[in-house]
Amino acid sequence: MVAHKQAPRDLIDAALAARDKAYAPYSKFFVGAALRTTEGKIISGCNVENAAYPEGVCAEAGAISAMVLSGETRFDEIVVVGLGDIACTPCGGCRQKIREFTGPDATIFIINDAGETLLTLSREELIPHSFGPENLK
């Protein structure tokens, strides 16, 4: 279990800035995410909805897609921020995406509007007994 620790300030700022760019005209639920690649690059994403709701893109998925586009495929930590003080934890699909591109010790931080850390989880805590690429060998 990962001890509760504060999310890094640079990732907090990037996640909050990404959330400010979210496109959520239907749900009004704005989400931002920022990850740090194993090479140290910070990449962020925001949720994007469309009229065929719920066929949108989650903030975590957007950040992961941008990471792959940038040429990297691994990250060590991610910060996710929704609205208010209720922890905005990744959906099931995003948990699997996080699983695909991290090691078991990756850290997932869930923060609130004020940038305060609400939850600190390892990947194994986020998605225990997960299915991964090694299962396909």
Side-chain angles (χ1 to χ4, degrees), residues 16 26 49 58 60 137:
L16 289 168
Y26 306 103
E49 297 176 347
C58 298
E60 302 93 321
K137 293 181 180 172

Side-chain angles (χ1 to χ4, degrees), residues 96 99 123-132 134-135:
Q96 187 64 43
R99 166 40 174 117
R123 188 197 75 194
E124 287 302 303
E125 292 170 318
L126 182 70
I127 184 166
H129 311 290
S130 62
F131 184 87
E134 65 276 3
N135 295 101

Side-chain angles (χ1 to χ4, degrees), residues 5-103:
K5 62 180 185 178
Q6 183 68 21
R9 187 74 237 175
D10 54 357
L11 287 179
I12 291 171
D13 292 342
L16 289 168
R19 189 195 59 191
D20 289 346
K21 299 288 188 181
Y23 180 77
Y26 306 103
S27 71
K28 309 291 186 212
F29 193 77
F30 302 91
V31 182
L35 60 84
R36 186 183 323 277
T37 69
T38 54
E39 300 299 319
K41 191 184 309 179
I42 294 175
I43 298 175
S44 56
C46 62
N47 62 323
V48 178
E49 297 176 347
N50 63 65
Y53 185 78
E55 292 298 322
V57 176
C58 298
E60 302 93 321
I64 290 169
S65 180
M67 174 190 71
V68 172
L69 180 63
S70 80
E72 296 197 46
T73 58
R74 303 295 291 173
F75 64 96
D76 295 323
E77 52 189 356
I78 186 168
V79 170
V80 180
V81 60
L83 298 173
D85 283 326
I86 297 175
C88 179
T89 55
C91 72
C94 286
R95 290 176 192 223
Q96 187 64 43
K97 290 173 183 73
I98 290 169
R99 166 40 174 117
E100 183 76 17
F101 296 101
T102 61

